[in-house]
Every structure is written in C-alpha cells, then in structure tokens.
Amino acid sequence: MKKIDSIARRILGWKLNRWDRWYDYEKGIFIHESDFQPEQNLDHAMLIVDRLQDLGFAYTIKGLSKVCFNDICATGETLAQAITNAAYSIVELSSVPDTTRMWQKLC
C-alpha cells in the first residue's frame, strides 16, 4: 500500500482522510483504497499518466510493459503495473532532498 498511497498523495494530490481512503479536493470526493488500484486497472493508471502530463512529464510507451516519464523508466508485468512503477520511481526520486526541480513540479 505504501506505493499506491505515495502516488495518490504526492502525484494526484489526494489527502489521506483515514487509513483506508483519500479525499480528492479538486473533485470533492472520497476515494476508497479498493476504488483505486492502478497496478491492476489501466483506467486508474491512466489517471496517473494524465496528472504527470499536466505536470510537464512526457509519457512514452516502450514495448508492452515498459513506460517512461521523461527519462524515468520502469517495467512491469502489465502496462498498468509499469505505469505505477514509473510513477513510484518519480515519487522516490522526489524524496531526495537535492532534486528541487522535480519537487517543485510535484508540489
């Protein structure tokens, strides 16, 4: 859950409402963790793609299960899993204190 929670909070901007759901302030709705499964659901993964594109990341598909956001690439068993893994890599890289440009995009 750490991976999905990190993506929901840092990329999508959702706030943790309680241990099993987030709140999307932009849409004014609650999202239960069972309603956001980007590793299994391509539509959910595409929400991440749309948000990252809004933040200036270029999305590129390289094969059936490899994607890149700018120069950050990841693979997975499915396209949805690859998107989720790449997004989580962005979150991990933004956690490093010396990546000010990327952090500015995510905040």
Side-chain angles (χ1 to χ4, degrees):
M1 186 58 191
K2 181 181 186 255
K3 180 192 303 187
I4 305 305
D5 184 58
S6 296
I7 292 169
R9 294 170 74 184
R10 291 196 177 167
I11 292 177
L12 298 175
W14 298 346
K15 305 299 178 200
L16 189 63
N17 179 258
R18 61 178 209 211
W19 66 273
D20 64 342
R21 72 177 182 197
W22 303 280
Y23 183 71
D24 182 348
Y25 283 95
E26 291 178 2
K27 295 180 182 173
I29 59 172
F30 292 98
I31 299 101
H32 195 273
E33 67 180 14
S34 63
D35 295 331
F36 183 63
Q37 300 293 321
E39 289 186 302
Q40 290 85 26
N41 187 317
L42 186 57
D43 290 334
H44 296 175
M46 292 308 291
L47 291 173
I48 298 167
V49 171
D50 292 341
R51 180 58 156 207
L52 287 171
Q53 286 179 322
D54 290 345
L55 293 170
F57 287 88
Y59 170 65
T60 309
I61 300 173
K62 299 192 178 205
L64 295 174
S65 59
K66 181 177 182 179
V67 301
C68 297
F69 291 103
N70 293 351
D71 59 344
I72 300 167
C73 300
T75 60
E77 292 181 18
T78 64
L79 182 59
Q81 191 176 47
I83 291 168
T84 305
N85 290 340
Y88 187 64
S89 293
I90 292 171
V91 169
E92 286 182 318
L93 288 172
S94 70
S95 297
V96 177
D98 203 26
T99 56
T100 55
R101 173 100 170 121
M102 192 174 301
W103 186 247
Q104 288 171 348
K105 285 184 176 184
L106 293 175
C107 288

